[in-house]
Amino acid sequence: MEVEEDHIDVNLNSSPREDVDDSFKSDIFDPRNWNSLDSKQIDILAQKGPKRDNSIKKGPKDRYRKRFTALFYTRFLSNGECCDRDWLVYSIQLDRVFCFACKLFRKSQHKGQLANEGCNDWSHMTNRLKDHETSGDHVLSMTNWYELRSRLEKHQTIDKTAQRQLEKEKDHWRNVLFRIVCIVKFLAKHNLAFRGTNGKLYEDSNGNFLGLVEMLAEFDPIIQEHVHRVTNEETHAHYLDHKIQNELLHLLASCIRSEIIKKIKSAKYFSVILDCTPDASHQEQMSLIIRYVDSSSSQVCIEESFLGFLDVNDTIGQGLFEVLQNELKLLDLDINDVRGQGYDNGSNMKGTHQGVQRKLLDVNPRAFYSACGWHSLNLTLCDMAKTCGRAKDFFEIIQRIYTFFANSTKKWHILKENISGLTLKSVSATRWESRVGSVKPIRFQCSDIREALLQVSEIDSDPKARVRL
């Protein structure tokens, strides 16, 4: 499994994907690729045997209205018994059947289509199969296949030492990848950054990912051996590059998304929740959340699953609806199964004529629209506070008290000496429901905060103390 190269790069800037043999990228179980297999791939096929698609019961009809049928896999003996033709393989792409043993394990050139380009003479297929399976060449090929499979299982091949070394190396890389995937899962689950400003092992600022690899190498012999190979330039395929990290993250995300989609399809009906916001690069992004009934466990519950951010260039109602519609198609979700939609109070979202909710209702009248309750409540509170002078003065006083102490470290120290519970917080300008956190410290510690204000005022009245403050 280890890849040899003339030049070894320890800077972790190369991707191991470039070092994988191209021959492993093709499907070795596909009869179309059997003419270009190497010895290692043939050994794998000898152990695992042919791979059938049992879902294919019948093939397409030919010009004589004849076709492949799964009954060809069964051999009916003269005594009434049935046995499986484990050597017979059907390729739906080629619409031909092949003899697995004669195609791969023949010692000399065989005659007949089953051992070469495949046979599709469906009218006479039964007789052709009987003639082939009783021929001497076929019996010899089957013997070669079974003997090779038996030797591989018992590690008694001619190169059994090399075979054992290969199995040992495969186990090593399997264990290394298992630990790397666990590190990726840990960092992703806790929303931690992967990389720093450096991409080398045992150097400063190399990020959390390589830092965890270094930590595991202190007590885990598998990672210790892997790090030893990397640092001593014994391997070029290290699987620590940032491209591998991104690829593993993408694979994990795809698996999670697939599981979510299965639950949504199981529930059939669902609701969509959308919200738009610009990111740090000033690109408008729309978050997509699906709300559905999760019946996968014993306790049925309502779930809301975030499925990603969607890039938006056109922020009008029609443009946002088209982005939503295209994303649902990519997720293989039927827009006609939408039973609810929830957005904020923006005109491009809730507009009764040109908003997203109207565009979706035109396609699916059952998609009931409901405005975001929290956003509506927040707007209501903001409008109420703007028209109430006492409320404005109240929150301004709370903010001034916080600013008074926060502008000086010594004043803040005096405040901490007088209070033992909740600390002062700044008043939120956008989330009114969070302002309760700014009111609670003063509500329950009013006397303590008053005492802190008196101590600061006494210091302010003393010129010498005011200099120290």
Side-chain angles (χ1 to χ4, degrees), residues 59-91:
K61 294 182 179 180
D62 59 12
R63 58 180 179 175
Y64 303 109
R65 303 189 65 79
K66 302 294 183 179
R67 59 183 175 182
F68 166 82
T69 174
L71 294 176
F72 292 144
Y73 290 140
T74 304
R75 179 183 179 185
F76 299 94
L77 304 179
S78 57
N79 59 1
E81 295 182 3
C82 301
C83 61
D84 179 44
R85 292 187 172 107
D86 57 350
W87 49 268
L88 188 64
V89 180
Y90 173 66
S91 172

Side-chain angles (χ1 to χ4, degrees), residues 100-360:
F100 175 77
C102 295
K103 184 74 174 177
L104 296 176
F105 306 102
R106 59 191 178 189
K107 297 298 183 180
S108 59
Q109 185 66 30
H110 284 196
K111 296 181 180 180
Q113 294 178 323
L114 286 168
N116 295 285
E117 71 275 10
C119 181
N120 61 352
D121 185 6
W122 309 122
S123 300
H124 307 90
M125 183 58 65
T126 301
N127 294 330
R128 285 179 176 270
L129 293 177
K130 288 182 180 180
D131 294 341
H132 180 81
E133 61 193 356
T134 56
S135 64
D137 290 338
H138 175 75
V139 173
L140 181 61
S141 297
M142 293 291 291
T143 303
N144 294 333
W145 173 24
Y146 289 154
E147 287 182 353
L148 177 59
R149 183 174 63 183
S150 177
R151 291 198 303 269
L152 289 171
E153 291 175 351
K154 298 178 180 179
H155 300 285
Q156 293 180 353
T157 55
I158 297 176
D159 55 344
K160 60 181 180 180
T161 302
Q163 186 73 21
R164 289 174 181 171
Q165 184 64 29
L166 178 62
E167 293 295 331
K168 183 179 178 181
E169 194 69 12
K170 286 169 60 178
D171 290 338
H172 167 77
W173 285 106
R174 188 179 292 109
N175 290 326
V176 168
L177 285 174
F178 175 75
R179 285 156 176 79
I180 290 176
V181 171
C182 288
I183 293 175
V184 172
K185 287 172 60 179
F186 172 80
L187 293 175
K189 182 178 180 180
H190 293 83
N191 198 24
L192 298 174
F194 276 64
R195 297 182 286 275
T197 57
N198 197 332
K200 301 178 183 178
L201 284 169
Y202 297 106
E203 292 195 8
D204 295 336
S205 303
N206 58 4
N208 293 322
F209 179 82
L210 294 181
L212 287 174
V213 173
E214 296 169 4
M215 184 270 291
L216 284 178
E218 295 183 3
F219 61 88
D220 187 348
I222 301 297
I223 293 295
Q224 190 176 54
E225 170 64 21
H226 182 62
V227 170
H228 174 77
R229 294 184 183 184
V230 174
T231 54
N232 289 276
E233 301 183 355
E234 297 178 6
T235 181
H236 185 61
H238 44 69
Y239 295 97
L240 303 178
D241 184 59
H242 67 277
K243 295 180 180 179
I244 292 296
Q245 299 170 26
N246 293 340
E247 184 175 354
L248 291 176
L249 280 172
H250 177 73
L251 292 174
L252 290 173
S254 298
C255 291
I256 294 173
R257 177 177 290 189
S258 298
E259 290 300 319
I260 293 175
I261 296 301
K262 287 181 182 178
K263 293 180 180 179
I264 297 174
K265 288 185 176 180
S266 176
K268 186 173 177 58
Y269 302 115
F270 58 92
S271 300
V272 294
I273 302 175
L274 303 177
D275 192 17
C276 294
T277 184
D279 60 11
S281 62
H282 306 288
Q283 170 65 44
E284 189 76 15
Q285 288 192 338
M286 182 169 65
S287 60
L288 173 61
I289 298 176
I290 301 294
R291 183 180 175 91
Y292 59 96
V293 178
D294 183 10
S295 58
S296 59
S297 59
S298 58
Q299 184 177 2
V300 179
C301 59
I302 297 176
E303 293 286 346
E304 290 184 358
S305 297
F306 170 72
L307 292 181
F309 288 107
L310 312 178
D311 289 335
V312 175
N313 296 320
D314 187 0
T315 57
I316 63 174
Q318 181 65 32
L320 297 176
F321 170 72
E322 290 177 355
V323 172
L324 170 63
Q325 190 177 31
N326 293 334
E327 184 64 18
L328 290 178
K329 288 181 180 179
L330 292 176
L331 296 174
D332 195 23
L333 297 176
D334 190 355
I335 195 171
N336 292 316
D337 291 335
V338 177
R339 289 297 180 268
Q341 48 178 328
Y343 320 119
D344 59 22
N345 289 274
S347 59
N348 58 346
M349 288 293 190
K350 73 167 187 177
T352 56
H353 300 289
Q354 298 297 328
V356 177
Q357 66 104 357
R358 170 47 56 190
K359 300 298 181 182
L360 183 53

Side-chain angles (χ1 to χ4, degrees), residues 434-452:
S434 66
R435 294 195 176 192
V436 67
S438 304
V439 177
K440 279 183 177 181
I442 299 178
R443 165 66 177 82
F444 296 106
Q445 302 170 128
C446 184
S447 59
D448 295 334
I449 295 174
R450 178 177 176 273
E451 185 63 29

Side-chain angles (χ1 to χ4, degrees), residues 27-74:
D27 184 7
I28 61 175
F29 295 96
D30 191 342
R32 295 177 297 176
N33 301 321
W34 285 353
N35 291 327
S36 59
L37 300 179
D38 56 31
S39 58
K40 292 182 180 179
Q41 294 172 323
I42 292 177
D43 289 346
I44 295 174
L45 283 174
Q47 285 185 291
K48 296 184 177 298
K51 186 176 181 181
R52 291 176 180 171
D53 189 351
N54 293 322
S55 63
I56 302 176
K57 302 301 181 182
K58 295 181 180 180
K61 294 182 179 180
D62 59 12
R63 58 180 179 175
Y64 303 109
R65 303 189 65 79
K66 302 294 183 179
R67 59 183 175 182
F68 166 82
T69 174
L71 294 176
F72 292 144
Y73 290 140
T74 304

